[in-house]
Amino acid sequence: SDNLISSLPDEFKLLTSLKVAFFSNCKFTTFPKQLGECNLLEMIAFRSNQMQFIPETKKKNETEEVSGVISLDFKKQGLTQVVFRDLNVTPYAESLTRLDFSDNLISSLPDEFKLLTSLKVAFFSNCKFTTFPKQLGECNLLEMIAFRSNQMQFIPENSFPKSLRWLILTDNLITELPTSIGLCTRLQKCMLAGNKLTTLPDSMSNCKKLGLLRLAVNNITLLPSWLFQLPELAFLGVSSNPCVPPASIEHAKNNVDVKWSDLSLGEQRGQGTSGTVYEGTFNNEPIAIKLYKQGMMITSDGLPSDEINCSIAAGLCSRFNLVQTLGKIIQHPNPLQNGLILNYI
C-alpha cells in the first residue's frame, strides 16, 4: 500500500502460500490478473486506486482445485460499472463471501452477480443507485446489505434475499418498502433513517427476529400496532417523524449553554456513527465531550439536534442509569459543529 505501482510481474503467481495482499493508495487502473492464480489468496484490498477495469479470468482445468478469495474491497475506485462477466469461471465466484464497492459511481449490477453463490456481505454505500438491484435477491446466502447514502427511490418486490439479517438503507429517498420484506424472517437489524417512508408494510410483522429498527427522519404519521408485538425488538428509533413530538427541553435543569472556549479538549476515547467522544475538562472538572460529525445531517439515529435535545430532556435522571448530560456546546470555531458535554465515566 501507499506506493506508485500500477502493475504486478508474472512471477507474482509464484507466491503459492499468499493469503493476504494489500495494494491500497497505489496507481492501479486495471485489476492484476496474476492474483487470480494465487490459489490460497483470501483477502485483497485495492482501496483508493484509479481502477477502472476488472478483466475476466481464464478458466481453470476441471481437475484443478480452486480455493479463491473470500473478500474483495474496491472502495473509492471511481468505478462507473461492475465488469464481472462469466463469474462461474472466475477463481472467486464460488468462494467470495464479502464484497465492498462503496464510494463509487456505480448505479446497477450485472445479471452475472447472482453467480456469487457464497456471498454473505455486500456494501454499496455512497454510490449512485436509484433502484435496489434485484440480482441481490438471488444471492441465497446473502445476510448483510448496505446502500447508505445513495439516491435510492424504489425497491422492487422480491429484491431482498430471504437469508437477509442486516439491511442498511440510511439516507436515501425511499417512499415504501416492498411487501416481500416479510419473507425475510431472519431479519435482525433494519436501518431506514433518513428516507421518505410514510408507513411500514404489515408483512414486516413476520420478521419475528427483528431486534433493531431505525426509522428516524421519515414521514411516518402512525406506528403500526404489530410493531410493539415483535418478541425480540429491543431498539426503536423514531425521532423526527410526525408521529413523535419533539423533545421539550425548556424546563430541563441541564439546558445549559457552554462556551467552547471554556472547555479543554483531551484525548479521543471513542467514536460512533454520529460523532466522536473525547475526554476534557470544564471548570477544572473531568468531563466527556461529544462532537457530532461535521456536515452530517442524518445519522442512523436521526438528526444531531434530536439526540442533543433528547439527552438534555433526560436531565439528571441518574436513577435510570443514564450518562448525565451537563450541557450543549456553543460558539465553536466552526458554526456548524454541534456538541454535548457529559459526565465522565
Side-chain angles (χ1 to χ4, degrees), residues 13 31 55-56 63 68 123 135 152 175 186 199 211 219 325 332:
K13 63 186 179 182
F31 189 95
E56 298 178 16
T63 58
F123 293 156
Q135 294 88 342
M152 191 172 293
T175 57
R186 300 181 65 215
T199 188
N219 296 321
T325 300
H332 189 278

Side-chain angles (χ1 to χ4, degrees), residues 25 57 147 281 288:
N25 299 302
T57 304
F147 281 90
T281 57

Side-chain angles (χ1 to χ4, degrees), residues 15-21 38 40-44 69-70:
L15 300 176
T16 55
S17 298
L18 188 66
K19 291 189 176 183
V20 178
C38 297
L40 297 183
L41 192 55
E42 297 178 345
M43 183 178 296
I44 300 175
V69 300
I70 62 173

Side-chain angles (χ1 to χ4, degrees), residues 171-209:
D171 190 21
N172 281 286
L173 302 170
I174 301 166
T175 57
E176 62 180 353
L177 298 177
T179 302
S180 57
I181 193 174
L183 299 176
C184 302
T185 56
R186 300 181 65 215
L187 187 63
Q188 295 175 311
K189 296 187 178 183
C190 190
M191 291 76 154
L192 300 169
N195 280 282
K196 296 182 179 297
L197 297 171
T198 58
T199 188
L200 299 175
D202 288 339
S203 62
M204 279 190 75
S205 61
N206 295 323
C207 302
K208 305 297 186 184
K209 294 290 184 181

